[in-house]
Amino acid sequence: CMTCHAVDKKLLGPSFREIAVKYASDKGAPERLAVKIVKGGGGVWGVAVMPANTQVTEAEAKKLAAWVLSQR
């Protein structure tokens, strides 16, 4: 969500660039991030909790995760 994340600056959550850098060498990151996009989660970047996005399909979540990870 663009109200919680931005490409190059921290908002409520980390920037997409920060996420991409953090997970750059993590081969399992695309799948885990796709799951987190749909189910939500927290505790990785502080106290803010990312809400679930149940309207996003698994295929869409995988595309979104790949895009986020490309933002280095």
Side-chain angles (χ1 to χ4, degrees):
C1 114
M2 297 308 279
T3 58
C4 297
H5 300 279
V7 172
D8 59 355
K9 65 182 176 184
K10 179 180 178 9
L11 296 177
L12 181 59
S15 72
F16 294 132
R17 189 163 293 139
E18 288 175 296
I19 296 167
V21 169
K22 179 176 180 126
Y23 295 106
S25 63
D26 183 345
K27 296 198 185 304
E31 184 63 34
R32 281 196 316 283
L33 290 178
V35 169
K36 188 165 277 202
I37 288 168
V38 175
K39 294 186 177 182
V44 176
W45 296 91
V47 297
V49 175
M50 184 170 130
N53 293 283
T54 57
Q55 76 281 8
V56 176
T57 67
E58 182 180 340
E60 291 168 334
K62 287 180 179 180
K63 286 181 184 177
L64 287 167
W67 180 83
V68 168
L69 293 169
S70 76
Q71 299 306 301
R72 294 188 297 161

